[in-house]
């Protein structure tokens, strides 16, 4: 007979099919898998949060990279382009711009055009001080020529113009010179004085976006009569 034939008269021991050892062996990997799943679920929120934060940071970086380079809107600007009588007010300009939430460059430009840094100057129309504020903006007991008082009244008005103009420098300057009501008016309806004022101010602003040390518009302003004002400013400082 062949080797696979079972000899007669010989008892063969049946296979041990007791379920316990096999179930135990099968449950071990299942238990391990369950532990891994639980750990993954516990750790997943933190991993998700980190991924989301990284994605947000990446998005912010991409947005910032598309914005125009405007270094003069920060806390520090180079005052080299301005007249010496305006440069002496650098620390005050930086402090005021932070206090009234205005670009330092804008504050410096307004001071340059309005008074060239002369705190005691009075215009033919009666405007007073560094920011050439009209008398009716002051309280009866205020010293309108005091730099801090003058800045408070002038820059409060400028900040409101900046807000109404939604950060548009051209409209902000128009609102400061011609009154807030002209901000929403078409430039063709601006007074001639306001048109000139805006041209000088925006010209200096645009120049100093590309050069911190030179503004051709400022030089033209000085030659057009600003030099006389600045000479008076130097004498008073």
């Amino acid at each position: 007979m062949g080797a696979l034939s079972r000899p007669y008269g010989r008892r063969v021991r049946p296979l041990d099919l007791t379920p316990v050892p096999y179930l135990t062996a099968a449950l071990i990997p299942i238990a391990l898998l369950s532990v891994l799943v639980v750990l993954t679920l516990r750790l997943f929120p933190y991993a998700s949060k980190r991924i989301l934060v990284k994605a947000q940071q990446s998005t912010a970086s991409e947005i910032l990279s598309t914005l125009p380079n405007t270094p003069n809107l920060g806390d520090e600007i180079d005052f080299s382009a301005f007249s010496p009588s305006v440069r002496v007010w650098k620390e005050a300009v930086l402090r005021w711009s932070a206090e009234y939430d205005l670009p330092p460059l804008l504050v410096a430009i307004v001071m340059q055009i309005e008074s060239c840094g002369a705190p005691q100057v009075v215009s033919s129309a009666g405007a007073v001080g560094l920011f050439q504020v009209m008398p009716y903006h002051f309280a009866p007991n205020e010293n309108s020529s005091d730099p801090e008082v003058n800045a408070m009244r002038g820059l409060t008005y400028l900040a409101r113009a900046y807000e109404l103009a939604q950060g548009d420098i051209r409209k902000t300057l128009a609102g400061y010179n011609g009154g807030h009501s002209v901000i929403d008016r078409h430039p063709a309806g601006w007074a001639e004085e306001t048109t000139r004022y805006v041209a000088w101010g925006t010209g200096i602003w645009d120049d100093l976006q590309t050069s911190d040390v030179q503004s051709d518009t400022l030089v033209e302003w000085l030659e057009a009569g600003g030099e006389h004002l600045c000479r008076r400013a130097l004498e008073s400082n």
Side-chain angles (χ1 to χ4, degrees):
M1 296 183 63
L4 296 179
S5 299
R6 186 176 64 181
Y8 292 99
R10 185 177 177 182
R11 297 184 65 182
V12 178
R13 183 179 178 182
L15 294 174
D16 186 358
L17 300 177
T18 305
V20 175
Y22 296 100
L23 289 175
T24 302
L27 288 173
I28 289 175
I30 295 175
L32 291 174
L33 180 61
S34 299
V35 171
L36 290 174
V37 170
V38 171
L39 289 175
T40 302
L41 290 174
R42 287 179 176 275
L43 293 175
F44 184 73
Y46 301 99
S48 299
K49 185 175 181 180
R50 286 196 296 270
I51 292 171
L52 180 60
V53 169
K54 288 182 179 180
Q56 291 173 335
Q57 290 175 341
S58 176
T59 301
S61 298
E62 291 173 0
I63 292 174
L64 288 174
S65 67
T66 64
L67 294 177
N69 183 22
T70 53
N72 288 328
L73 299 184
D75 291 333
E76 292 291 341
I77 63 172
D78 191 334
F79 276 68
S80 300
F82 294 97
S83 301
S85 52
V86 173
R87 293 179 211 163
V88 299
W89 296 99
K90 176 181 178 179
E91 297 304 322
V93 166
L94 295 176
R95 174 168 53 82
W96 290 331
S97 64
E99 183 176 351
Y100 296 96
D101 197 22
L102 287 164
L105 178 58
L106 177 62
V107 176
I109 289 172
V110 171
M111 180 188 289
Q112 174 76 62
I113 297 175
E114 293 287 357
S115 70
C116 202
Q120 304 298 326
V121 69
V122 179
S123 73
S124 58
V128 181
L130 290 174
F131 296 98
Q132 288 293 279
V133 183
M134 295 299 289
Y136 52 78
H137 287 288
F138 299 99
N141 60 339
E142 288 181 332
N143 180 0
S144 57
S145 295
D146 180 271
E148 294 296 336
V149 174
N150 198 271
M152 176 186 68
R153 296 302 184 186
L155 296 182
T156 296
Y157 195 80
L158 180 64
R160 179 57 179 161
Y162 187 67
E163 179 183 9
L164 292 172
Q166 299 181 348
D168 186 301
I169 298 303
R170 190 163 179 255
K171 292 182 178 180
T172 299
L173 291 169
Y176 188 75
N177 178 263
H180 293 163
S181 62
V182 309
I183 291 174
D184 292 327
R185 194 180 303 170
H186 192 278
W190 293 348
E192 186 178 345
E193 177 189 345
T194 299
T195 301
R196 287 198 304 270
Y197 186 90
V198 171
W200 290 126
T202 55
I204 298 171
W205 173 275
D206 292 340
D207 289 346
L208 295 182
Q209 298 304 306
T210 57
S211 173
D212 289 333
V213 297
Q214 178 67 42
S215 168
D216 293 338
T217 305
L218 180 51
V219 172
E220 292 173 9
W221 176 82
L222 290 168
E223 294 173 347
E227 187 175 358
H228 175 69
L229 176 62
C230 291
R231 192 178 303 114
R232 290 172 58 191
L234 284 172
E235 293 171 355
S236 64
N237 284 340

